[in-house]
Amino acid sequence: MYLDRHDLPGITPEELAEAHRQDEATQDGYGVRYHTYWFDPSNGSVFCLAEGPSREAIETVHRQGARRGCIGNHRARPAAPLNALFGEIPRHPTGTAYTAPGMRAIVFTDVCGSVAQTQELGDDGHMQLLREHNSIVRSELESHAGREVKHTGDGIMGSFSSVASAVSFAVAVQRRLADRNDAAWSRSTSVSDQCG
C-alpha cells in the first residue's frame, strides 16, 4: 500500500475526480489499483491510497493519467490501520467530485514513570491507574472527534482531522487528569490524617 501526496493548488474537485478516473483507466497496465483519495481544496493537498508493485509503478500511472504535481510517495504503515488513522475511507463512484481533507494531527498520551508506578503500587494498582487514564482519554477522544489509532501499552495514539480539535483534546485530558490526581491526593491526605 502506498499513500502519496500531491500539491495541486487551484485544482477543482471536478478536475481531481477526472484525474482519478484517468488513473483508474491506466492502472491495470502497471499492476496498480487506486482505492481512493482525500482532497482539501483550501490548500490543494491530495492524498491518494493505492496498491502496486512499486513506487515507480504508482508514479508511472500518475504520469500516464496526466496527474500534475506529484511530490513523492510514502509507504503506508501497516502498524497503524488506515481506517483508524483517517476514519472512514471515502467511497465514491469513479468520476464523482468530492472533498475530504487528508491531513491528520496525531497526539500521543503517555503515563510517565509507569515502571516506577508498578514498583510502588504493584501490578494491580498500576493497572487501575492505567484504566482510569484510558477511560479519560477515550472519553475525550469521543468528545473532540478524535479516533484511537492504537494503544501503546501505557498510552494511546489518537488521530484528529483538525489541529484545533487535537489541541482542545490535549488540554481537556490534562485538566481531567490533574483533577483526578488532585482528588486522589486529597483522599490520601485525609486518610493519613485520620490514621495519624
Side-chain angles (χ1 to χ4, degrees):
M1 291 293 265
Y2 291 87
L3 187 64
D4 66 347
R5 178 172 183 260
H6 308 268
D7 285 325
L8 303 172
I11 195 168
T12 67
E14 294 75 20
E15 290 170 328
L16 183 58
E18 175 57 22
H20 183 71
R21 189 197 64 72
Q22 289 177 18
D23 287 344
E24 285 190 356
T26 308
Q27 68 187 2
D28 291 341
Y30 298 90
V32 171
R33 179 164 183 250
Y34 279 90
H35 293 282
T36 192
Y37 63 88
W38 291 264
F39 172 49
D40 185 350
S42 67
N43 61 17
S45 64
V46 180
F47 291 85
C48 298
L49 179 62
E51 279 182 89
S54 67
R55 174 183 305 192
E56 292 75 24
I58 303 286
E59 291 174 350
T60 299
V61 171
H62 277 327
R63 281 193 301 277
Q64 295 293 321
R67 179 73 59 98
R68 304 173 298 167
C70 183
I71 65 167
N73 288 299
H74 309 283
R75 188 167 201 128
R77 296 177 177 253
L82 288 172
N83 59 340
L85 188 62
F86 282 101
E88 191 168 324
I89 304 293
R91 305 249 185 246
H92 300 281
T94 300
T96 301
Y98 67 93
T99 62
M103 296 295 285
R104 295 296 182 265
I106 304 299
V107 178
F108 287 90
T109 66
D110 183 57
V111 176
C112 295
S114 57
V115 172
Q117 273 183 353
T118 302
Q119 291 173 345
E120 180 183 334
L121 303 172
D123 288 337
D124 291 341
H126 174 70
M127 289 307 295
Q128 177 57 37
L129 288 177
L130 188 58
R131 280 190 293 275
E132 290 178 50
H133 163 271
N134 293 346
S135 176
I136 289 169
V137 169
R138 288 176 175 137
S139 169
E140 293 302 332
L141 279 169
E142 187 174 327
S143 295
H144 293 86
R147 285 173 298 287
E148 181 176 340
V149 176
K150 66 180 180 176
H151 194 276
T152 61
D154 62 352
I156 292 177
M157 176 185 178
S159 172
F160 299 82
S161 58
S162 157
V163 172
S165 293
V167 171
S168 180
F169 158 81
V171 169
V173 167
Q174 289 175 337
R175 285 185 178 145
R176 286 192 57 196
L177 289 173
D179 290 347
R180 180 255 170 237
N181 291 341
D182 288 346
W185 185 82
S186 295
R187 283 192 307 270
S188 69
T189 301
S190 64
V191 169
S192 66
D193 287 346
Q194 292 172 0
C195 295

